[in-house]
């Protein structure tokens, strides 16, 4: 590792075309889980039987929703899509996209029975192996998922992506509460952090680009407003020094009136680095939004973050990356890897043993322990799936600290 370097991460607002698509897909998933729970209460089905892999495409005047879904519920896709777009703020033709007049097309079909078979009855169960009920649920796909944590911020996220998310959130907040009423929903943020000897020592550059009303003075109006109402509140809350004004960039092209789906197409799952660690931690490649918890692309990535965060929170390491791999239809992980990048405070072998003892990483156990069959996913669709607060984000809990410490101590 270099002694001194800059690392940059970006975030986007909920009005970015890709994030509109993530939101629609997750709102449809939540609608399915909500209705399935109601049907289960009436004795007409089971939330555990629902499957959703929903993807959305958006462009000028058109929303296309597709994917593979298995459910007993009826979901009004048109209504969900329009309500989501309206909530985000595209409800006026002057913004380039209007929830009231856009077209909505649904091409959803049922899930392949070949895929469902391995999830409904795992490899182990199909072969008559004596397994507990948790092991009857197989992984929804093959692949590898990563989780990451470090002690740079209170949320145990890397500083660049954490600050980029908070700036994007604040950009949306001042638009919606009317503080900066010339803003429009589409926007992006970017933060460059200086590292010395592997430690974050300060922010050197900030970039914010936001869609806006016509005839706004970028340099003399937007930039001072952004410093005062967006950058300063975020940085002061985190106790971080604001970069010099020449290192703060606001709409560097000079104009961003045409934005949202009129300016660019959007697709579900196209912002996976924004969704995770801003490039600081690795990503297995699978996206999250629109997928129910049987898809390990999502649930195992959440579990890996849960493991990594508890390791760092327990003081066992300053940085930690966890990889979990699965074979489709098989309950037990194909492999589990833990890397602490030389920052461990106890031997890595002890950490590996403690994780194996404390965490059950079979898909069924992840669903149970993180309570993933609830309609919690719409809130994850913007501003990152990690480093968030709220009862929805169960994978952000540091509830295994004592167990990890005890498991490590038992090896002494």
């Amino acid at each position: 590792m270099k002694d001194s370097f800059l690392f940059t991460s970006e975030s986007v607002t909920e009005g970015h075309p890709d994030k509109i698509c993530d939101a629609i897909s997750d709102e449809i998933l939540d609608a399915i889980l909500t209705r399935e729970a109601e049907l289960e209460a009436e004795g007409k089905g089971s939330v555990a039987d629902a499957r959703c892999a929903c993807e959305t495409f958006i462009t000028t005047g058109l929303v296309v929703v597709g994917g593979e879904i298995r459910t007993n519920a009826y979901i009004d896709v048109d209504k969900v899509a329009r309500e989501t777009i309206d909530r985000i703020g595209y409800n006026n033709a002057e913004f380039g996209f209007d929830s009231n007049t856009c077209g909505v097309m649904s091409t959803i079909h049922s899930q392949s029975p070949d895929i469902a078979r391995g999830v409904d009855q795992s490899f182990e169960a199909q072969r008559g192996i004596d397994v507990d009920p948790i092991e009857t649920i197989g992984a929804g796909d093959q692949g590898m998922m990563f989780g990451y944590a470090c002690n740079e911020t209170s949320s145990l996220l890397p500083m660049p992506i954490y600050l980029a998310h908070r700036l994007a959130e604040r950009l949306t907040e001042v638009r919606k509460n009317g503080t900066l009423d010339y803003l429009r929903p589409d926007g992006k943020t970017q933060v460059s952090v200086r590292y010395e000897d592997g430690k974050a020592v300060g922010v050197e550059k900030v970039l914010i680009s936001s869609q806006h009303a016509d005839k706004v003075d970028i340099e003399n109006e937007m930039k001072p407003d952004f410093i005062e109402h967006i950058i300063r509140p975020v940085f002061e809350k985190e106790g971080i020094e604001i970069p010099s004004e020449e290192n703060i960039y606001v709409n560097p092209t000079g104009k961003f009136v045409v934005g949202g789906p009129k300016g660019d197409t959007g697709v579900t799952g196209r912002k996976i680095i924004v969704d995770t660690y801003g490039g600081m931690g690795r990503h297995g490649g699978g996206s999250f939004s629109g997928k129910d918890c049987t898809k390990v692309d999502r649930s195992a990535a959440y579990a890996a973050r849960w493991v990594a965060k508890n390791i760092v929170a327990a003081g066992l390491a300053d940085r930690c990356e966890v990889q979990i791999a699965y074979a489709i239809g098989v309950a037990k992980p194909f492999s589990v890897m833990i890397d602490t990048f030389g920052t461990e405070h106890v031997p890595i072998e002890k950490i590996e043993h403690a994780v194996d003892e404390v965490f059950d990483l079979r898909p069924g156990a992840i669903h149970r322990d993180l309570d993933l069959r609830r309609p919690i996913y719409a809130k994850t669709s913007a501003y990152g799936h990690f480093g968030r607060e709220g009862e929805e984000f169960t994978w952000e809990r540091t509830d295994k600290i004592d167990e990890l410490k005890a498991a490590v101590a038992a090896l002494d």
Side-chain angles (χ1 to χ4, degrees), residues 214-406:
D214 204 1
K215 299 180 181 178
V216 175
D217 188 321
I218 305 299
E219 194 63 28
N220 297 310
E221 185 177 4
M222 281 189 74
K223 185 170 182 178
D225 280 350
F226 279 22
I227 292 172
E228 181 64 24
H229 297 291
I230 300 173
I231 298 172
R232 190 178 306 282
V234 168
F235 277 56
E236 286 183 350
K237 183 178 180 181
E238 299 301 326
I240 297 172
E241 186 176 349
I242 298 174
S244 58
E245 192 166 326
E246 62 267 25
N247 285 321
I248 295 174
Y249 297 80
V250 172
N251 283 27
T253 64
K255 189 176 182 180
F256 188 0
V257 173
V258 178
K262 186 177 181 180
D264 196 6
T265 59
V267 181
T268 298
R270 199 158 60 179
K271 284 291 178 285
I272 57 176
I273 302 304
V274 169
D275 285 343
T276 53
Y277 308 102
M280 184 71 79
R282 285 178 283 193
H283 193 294
S287 64
F288 301 159
S289 289
K291 296 178 180 177
D292 74 89
C293 62
T294 66
K295 281 70 176 174
V296 285
D297 279 339
R298 184 170 215 163
S299 55
Y302 290 173
R305 162 66 175 172
W306 184 39
V307 174
K309 187 172 184 180
N310 274 273
I311 289 171
V312 174
L316 303 180
D318 296 336
R319 294 172 61 204
C320 182
E321 185 175 70
V322 175
Q323 184 203 58
I324 313 171
Y326 293 89
I328 187 169
V330 179
K332 291 181 179 178
F334 220 56
S335 67
V336 178
M337 180 276 293
I338 298 171
D339 189 355
T340 53
F341 308 96
T343 69
E344 66 273 8
H345 299 291
V346 299
I348 189 69
E349 295 80 9
K350 291 188 176 183
I351 298 175
E352 291 170 341
H353 173 85
V355 168
D356 185 58
E357 183 173 312
V358 171
F359 293 95
D360 188 342
L361 297 175
R362 295 172 296 173
I366 294 171
H367 306 165
R368 175 198 65 202
D369 295 341
L370 297 182
D371 200 7
L372 297 180
R373 296 195 184 279
R374 299 173 296 144
I376 59 174
Y377 298 103
K379 286 189 177 181
T380 70
S381 62
Y383 315 116
H385 293 245
F386 308 122
R388 305 285 298 278
E389 297 179 355
E391 61 89 20
E392 295 90 353
F393 300 90
T394 52
W395 49 93
E396 290 297 305
R397 298 181 310 206
T398 51
D399 54 348
K400 297 294 184 180
I401 292 174
D402 292 340
E403 291 179 64
L404 283 171
K405 288 181 175 179

Side-chain angles (χ1 to χ4, degrees), residues 9-78:
S9 295
E10 70 159 350
S11 183
V12 298
T13 66
E14 62 191 43
H16 186 283
D18 292 330
K19 281 294 153 194
I20 301 172
C21 294
D22 285 346
I24 292 171
S25 297
D26 274 333
E27 290 281 9
I28 289 171
L29 170 58
D30 278 357
I32 290 170
L33 294 173
T34 298
R35 183 57 184 146
E36 284 283 2
E38 293 170 350
L39 292 171
E40 183 174 323
E42 298 169 8
K44 299 177 181 178
S46 170
V47 176
D49 290 336
R51 301 285 183 270
C52 181
C54 178
E55 298 182 2
T56 304
F57 167 81
I58 197 167
T59 188
T60 306
L62 179 65
V63 179
V64 180
V65 182
E68 303 80 46
I69 292 177
R70 185 179 79 180
T71 180
N72 296 308
Y74 167 74
I75 302 301
D76 189 337
V77 172
D78 183 281

Side-chain angles (χ1 to χ4, degrees), residues 5-180:
F5 62 92
L6 281 175
F7 194 92
T8 301
S9 295
E10 70 159 350
S11 183
V12 298
T13 66
E14 62 191 43
H16 186 283
D18 292 330
K19 281 294 153 194
I20 301 172
C21 294
D22 285 346
I24 292 171
S25 297
D26 274 333
E27 290 281 9
I28 289 171
L29 170 58
D30 278 357
I32 290 170
L33 294 173
T34 298
R35 183 57 184 146
E36 284 283 2
E38 293 170 350
L39 292 171
E40 183 174 323
E42 298 169 8
K44 299 177 181 178
S46 170
V47 176
D49 290 336
R51 301 285 183 270
C52 181
C54 178
E55 298 182 2
T56 304
F57 167 81
I58 197 167
T59 188
T60 306
L62 179 65
V63 179
V64 180
V65 182
E68 303 80 46
I69 292 177
R70 185 179 79 180
T71 180
N72 296 308
Y74 167 74
I75 302 301
D76 189 337
V77 172
D78 183 281
K79 181 181 179 182
V80 171
R82 293 184 191 280
E83 288 180 347
T84 303
I85 296 165
D86 179 75
R87 169 180 61 78
I88 289 170
Y90 288 107
N91 46 25
N92 188 324
E94 292 183 3
F95 301 167
F97 200 84
D98 187 351
S99 61
N100 301 297
T101 60
C102 66
V104 178
M105 180 186 302
S106 175
T107 61
I108 292 170
H109 59 86
S110 60
Q111 185 188 46
S112 162
D114 292 345
I115 295 175
R117 182 171 182 265
V119 178
D120 296 338
Q121 191 178 30
S122 69
F123 172 89
E124 292 90 337
Q126 289 181 36
R127 280 150 185 78
I129 301 171
D130 185 20
V131 296
D132 62 58
I134 287 295
E135 204 151 304
T136 63
I137 301 171
D141 202 352
Q142 70 172 50
M144 66 288 188
M145 297 81 209
F146 289 93
Y148 183 85
C150 61
N151 60 7
E152 293 175 16
T153 61
S154 59
S155 68
L156 304 187
L157 271 187
M159 186 180 291
I161 189 64
Y162 180 75
L163 289 176
H165 282 324
R166 303 295 77 80
L167 290 172
E169 279 184 319
R170 181 66 181 167
L171 181 59
T172 296
E173 182 181 351
V174 297
R175 169 178 64 87
K176 288 187 170 182
N177 67 20
T179 300
L180 302 180

